[in-house]
Structure formats: C-alpha cells, structure tokens
C-alpha cells in the first residue's frame, strides 16, 4: 500500500477518533438533555463517518474494490441519527413543562405541532395557580 494511502487512512482514523471523543464528552458533560443530543448526533456521527471512510479506502487499497458494507452503514447512520435525535427531542419537549415554557411563542393561537396539549403542571404549581377558597 502506498504511503499516501496509509497517511490518508491514518488521518481519517485520527479525525474520526477525535470527533468520537468530542461527542462522548459532550454527551457526558453538557447540562441538559436538549444540549446532550448534539454530542451523539453531530460529532459522533461525523467521527463514525470518518472511520467508515477510512475503512472504505483501506478495503479499496488492499482488495482493489469498494466495500458495499461500509457504504450501507454510513448511509444508514446518516439517515437514522438525525431522525432519532428529532424524535427524542420531540418526546422530551412533550413531557417537560420547563422546556415548553422556555420555547418561543408561535405567534398564532395554535401551539407548536409537538404540543397538542400542554404537559400537566406539577402539583405545587397547580396549588399556587388555583384560587384560594375561603
């Protein structure tokens, strides 16, 4: 294998490992769930993509043909990661009253499409909001 190809594969592996590390640290260290989604969905997906490209280049250099397995894994990963993150974020917004309150208003009477009904308030907030009975 040519030195340039080995250098390219090594660089892709190092770049992929770096992004995997950044994504993992983001997942562990960011303060709330919505911010933690960015680590595994963006940085880690990019890291895995770089490693899969390194594997494709290695298979091409050693065997002389492109490996279809890595291409299919890359395609699946790039399609599944954003959809999964979108569904997790929608589920989090639906059950988290704090996140719903922090969202900007839609500007119309209609709520966000995620929120057909607002999440129930905790018992303490309901008691504070209820009129006092004498």
């Amino acid at each position: 294998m040519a030195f340039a190809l080995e250098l390219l594969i090594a660089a892709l592996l190092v770049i992929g490992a770096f992004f995997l590390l950044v994504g993992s640290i983001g997942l562990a260290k960011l303060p709330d769930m919505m911010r933690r989604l960015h680590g595994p969905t963006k940085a880690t997906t990019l890291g895995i993509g770089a490693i899969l490209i390194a594997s494709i280049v290695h298979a091409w250099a050693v065997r002389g043909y492109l490996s279809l397995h890595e291409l299919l894994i890359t395609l699946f990963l790039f399609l599944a990661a954003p959809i999964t993150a979108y569904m997790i974020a929608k589920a989090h917004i639906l059950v988290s009253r704090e996140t719903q309150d922090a969202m900007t208003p839609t500007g119309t009477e209609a709520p966000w499409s995620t929120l057909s009904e607002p999440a129930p308030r905790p018992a303490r907030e309901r008691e504070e909001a209820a009129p006092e009975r004498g």
Side-chain angles (χ1 to χ4, degrees):
M1 188 174 0
F3 178 72
L5 279 177
E6 290 178 354
L7 189 63
L8 174 67
I9 292 168
L12 286 169
L13 288 174
V14 169
I15 291 169
F18 172 75
F19 279 107
L20 284 173
L21 179 66
V22 168
S24 300
I25 289 172
L27 180 64
K29 293 292 183 181
L30 288 175
D32 58 22
M33 209 287 294
M34 294 299 274
R35 291 181 197 162
R36 282 188 207 133
L37 276 177
H38 291 284
T41 58
K42 293 184 176 60
T44 306
T45 301
L46 188 60
I48 291 290
I51 290 174
L52 287 171
I53 290 171
S55 177
I56 291 170
V57 172
H58 182 266
W60 173 73
V62 170
R63 289 185 250 154
Y65 61 89
L66 291 177
S67 174
L68 187 61
H69 298 106
E70 286 88 354
L71 287 174
L72 290 175
I73 292 170
T74 304
L75 179 67
F76 175 75
L77 183 69
F78 285 173
L79 288 176
I83 293 170
T84 304
Y86 178 72
M87 298 306 291
I88 291 172
K90 283 184 76 120
H92 175 73
I93 290 170
L94 190 61
V95 298
S96 171
R97 184 70 191 182
E98 293 172 0
T99 304
Q100 290 178 21
D101 291 342
M103 294 176 69
T104 57
T106 60
T108 64
E109 292 292 322
W112 287 95
S113 61
T114 302
L115 310 172
S116 60
E117 293 180 19
R121 292 188 179 272
R124 192 171 123 220
E125 287 185 23
R126 281 189 302 230
E127 291 172 4
E128 292 174 358
E132 294 186 22
R133 297 181 188 158

